[in-house]
Amino acid sequence: MHTKIRKWGNSAGAIIPAPVLAEVGIDLGDAVDIEAVDGTILIKQVAPSYTLDELLKACPQEAVTLNVDEKAWLRDAPVGKELA
């Protein structure tokens, strides 16, 4: 697929056709790394990073619900160097 480099402010940009984005699994707004490698422009998707709060919010409630044994374990006092 061919496209043209166009002026974009003080930079330049190229239109990436939707089928190409879909083929590699990149969506609008995704972060990418761009680098020059042996005379070729390489664009790679950046793996997203999440906070613990974001991950927990995305989990089903039953995945983060503690059972009786887990609750008892959390109430136990330290027995070794856990706090050191």
Side-chain angles (χ1 to χ4, degrees):
M1 231 172 255
H2 292 276
T3 189
K4 289 187 178 187
I5 303 295
R6 297 181 173 100
K7 184 167 177 54
W8 191 324
N10 289 330
S11 299
I15 301 298
I16 303 172
V20 173
L21 290 176
E23 185 175 331
V24 295
I26 296 177
D27 290 317
L28 295 177
D30 286 354
V32 294
D33 276 330
I34 300 175
E35 59 182 302
V37 178
D38 297 326
T40 301
I41 297 172
L42 183 61
I43 301 174
K44 293 191 281 186
Q45 187 173 21
V46 174
S49 61
Y50 302 100
T51 65
L52 179 58
D53 286 338
E54 290 170 328
L55 292 172
L56 291 173
K57 285 179 186 176
C59 288
Q61 184 60 40
E62 59 272 9
V64 293
T65 301
L66 301 176
N67 64 32
V68 173
D69 290 336
E70 293 165 334
K71 289 178 184 177
W73 178 79
L74 286 173
R75 287 191 299 271
D76 284 346
V79 295
K81 295 182 180 180
E82 292 95 334
L83 300 177

